[in-house]
Amino acid sequence: MYTTDIDMKSHIESRITQAIEVVQGLSSHTEDIAEISRAIIHCFEQGGTLFVAGNGGSAAQANHLCEELTGRYRTTRPALPAHCLCSDAVAMTCIANDFGWEQVFRRQLEAFATCIIDEHEEQTCNDLLLVLTTSGNSANINEALDFANDIGMMALGLLGRDGGDSKSKCAINVTIDAKDSAAIQDGHHVIIHAICETIEQWVLESIEND
């Protein structure tokens, strides 16, 4: 229990200060965020689906990104194919029970990812996987990244701390070097909205040019 009102306010101010520091630091990641946005736009242009995954608070953020794209961000426009791998509790508990928690995202990718075999018997995948993790060391995230890489699906990451094992598995990543998970997620949320800004602008420009 807080002994004084001042003590409570100091904790709130500390939380705000950490968030401000992380968000201000995102300016150094502008090009990486743009690259992630370009990759998602290219995925949609090729008829692919964006798959998004995370655990805990990152799962909520993954869900948030997908609903912004399938629903709307600011402007009413065509729905975009974004699938959150952590939104189906029934599927996740089934997979976890039968195959282990580390398989909850990989197994869904096995079910939903679309691969194309050309006349030369070469496999390509126009889908894309974006993961959110504050540590980069979640087994279920890294299993999904391994599967994406195995089938030729581009893998992207919004990561934290030093990026963990996930960093080397992502073709493009933004890694927020902070110790506090809440601060990392503050940064990830700003990135999510920046991605939505660029994608929605692309959609509107495409409609205008048709």
Side-chain angles (χ1 to χ4, degrees):
M1 185 173 180
Y2 293 100
T3 56
T4 66
D5 191 46
I6 293 175
D7 189 32
M8 178 181 289
K9 289 180 179 178
S10 70
H11 279 81
I12 295 170
E13 289 172 357
S14 175
R15 176 84 286 283
I16 293 171
T17 298
Q18 289 180 71
I20 290 171
E21 290 175 353
V22 164
V23 172
Q24 287 178 334
L26 293 179
S27 296
S28 63
H29 296 289
T30 302
E31 181 53 35
D32 291 326
I33 297 170
E35 282 295 313
I36 288 175
S37 299
R38 292 186 195 108
I40 296 172
I41 289 170
H42 180 72
C43 166
F44 292 153
E45 287 177 328
Q46 299 302 308
T49 297
L50 171 64
F51 295 99
V52 191
N55 291 293
S58 296
Q61 291 182 311
N63 208 21
H64 180 77
L65 173 58
C66 290
E67 59 86 6
E68 296 279 32
L69 296 176
T70 57
R72 75 180 214 172
Y73 177 60
R74 284 203 177 94
T75 306
T76 300
R77 38 78 183 157
L80 296 168
H83 183 94
C84 182
L85 297 174
C86 36
S87 62
D88 188 340
V90 176
M92 291 181 69
T93 54
C94 170
I95 295 166
N97 187 60
D98 293 344
F99 299 96
W101 179 250
E102 68 278 4
Q103 298 295 319
V104 293
F105 302 138
R106 178 183 180 126
R107 185 75 175 173
Q108 291 183 78
L109 284 180
E110 291 177 10
F112 299 125
T114 301
C115 295
I116 301 168
I117 307 295
D118 63 21
E119 65 272 19
H120 304 294
E121 296 187 354
E122 294 182 357
Q123 178 174 290
T124 59
C125 180
N126 292 325
D127 297 333
L128 189 153
L129 173 64
L130 172 65
V131 301
L132 295 94
T133 166
T134 61
S135 69
N137 293 318
S138 299
N140 54 10
I141 292 291
N142 288 325
E143 282 285 340
L145 288 171
D146 285 338
F147 179 77
N149 288 320
D150 287 344
I151 66 171
M153 179 192 297
M154 178 177 275
L156 312 174
L158 301 184
L159 314 176
R161 297 183 175 85
D162 64 357
D165 292 336
S166 297
K167 191 167 187 176
S168 63
K169 302 176 188 291
C170 295
I172 310 169
N173 75 86
V174 175
T175 300
I176 295 176
D177 185 13
K179 295 180 180 179
D180 183 63
S181 294
I184 295 168
Q185 289 173 343
D186 290 333
H188 285 175
H189 210 77
V190 173
I191 295 171
I192 285 171
H193 282 160
I195 291 170
C196 290
E197 294 274 356
T198 59
I199 292 175
E200 194 154 275
Q201 185 60 35
W202 160 71
V203 174
L204 296 176
E205 289 177 359
S206 298
I207 293 173
E208 290 175 1
N209 294 330
D210 282 344

